[in-house]
Amino acid sequence: MTRPAAARTAADRDEDQSHAADGPADHFDRAGRLLKDRQPHDLSITDAVSVNGSLELQLMATNVDRVDVYIDQRPRASVDLTNGQANVTVPDAATARSARVEGFEAGQLVASKTEQLN
């Protein structure tokens, strides 16, 4: 992870300079090494149904512990997941055009998904 400029050390700057001369293949190799130990994160809306004026969403996720729900770009709910799943009922949202869910792990945003509903 790149540190903010004020917190970077001389070694960090030297490493950046040594990589600046690398070709595209070297950059892909370096990116692969950085990403190989990270856990994958996935988030999806598996179902969206209008019921009695509300919007009911079924969510599934991998390595996500909380999801914030936005309906038509407005924040409407925040839920904790159990076993990677959650059902969310958003009142007065049956005519919503879009739903965006943002997934968090230990307070860090790790996944986002937007679905067009109509």
Side-chain angles (χ1 to χ4, degrees):
M1 176 184 285
T2 302
R3 294 185 214 176
R8 295 170 54 88
T9 66
D12 292 331
R13 288 188 292 278
D14 289 344
E15 182 180 342
D16 288 346
Q17 288 176 352
S18 73
H19 291 294
D22 295 342
D26 295 322
H27 289 287
F28 286 121
D29 288 343
R30 183 166 187 255
R33 286 191 309 272
L34 291 171
L35 294 173
K36 75 175 178 145
D37 294 329
R38 292 190 177 184
Q39 292 181 333
H41 297 88
D42 188 38
L43 176 60
S44 61
I45 300 170
T46 59
D47 198 17
V49 180
S50 297
V51 177
N52 297 325
S54 296
L55 178 64
E56 293 184 3
L57 301 174
Q58 290 180 353
L59 310 175
M60 292 193 70
T62 303
N63 296 317
V64 170
D65 54 39
R66 189 187 87 234
V67 173
D68 289 348
V69 178
Y70 296 80
I71 302 298
D72 293 334
Q73 293 108 27
R74 300 183 61 95
R76 297 295 302 269
S78 184
V79 296
D80 293 328
L81 277 72
T82 303
N83 297 322
Q85 299 181 26
N87 294 324
V88 182
T89 300
V90 183
D92 303 318
T95 60
R97 296 185 315 196
S98 67
R100 183 176 86 236
V101 289
E102 294 185 346
F104 295 83
E105 180 182 39
Q108 297 293 314
L109 178 64
V110 294
S112 181
K113 178 77 172 185
T114 301
E115 293 283 338
Q116 297 305 312
L117 302 174
N118 293 330

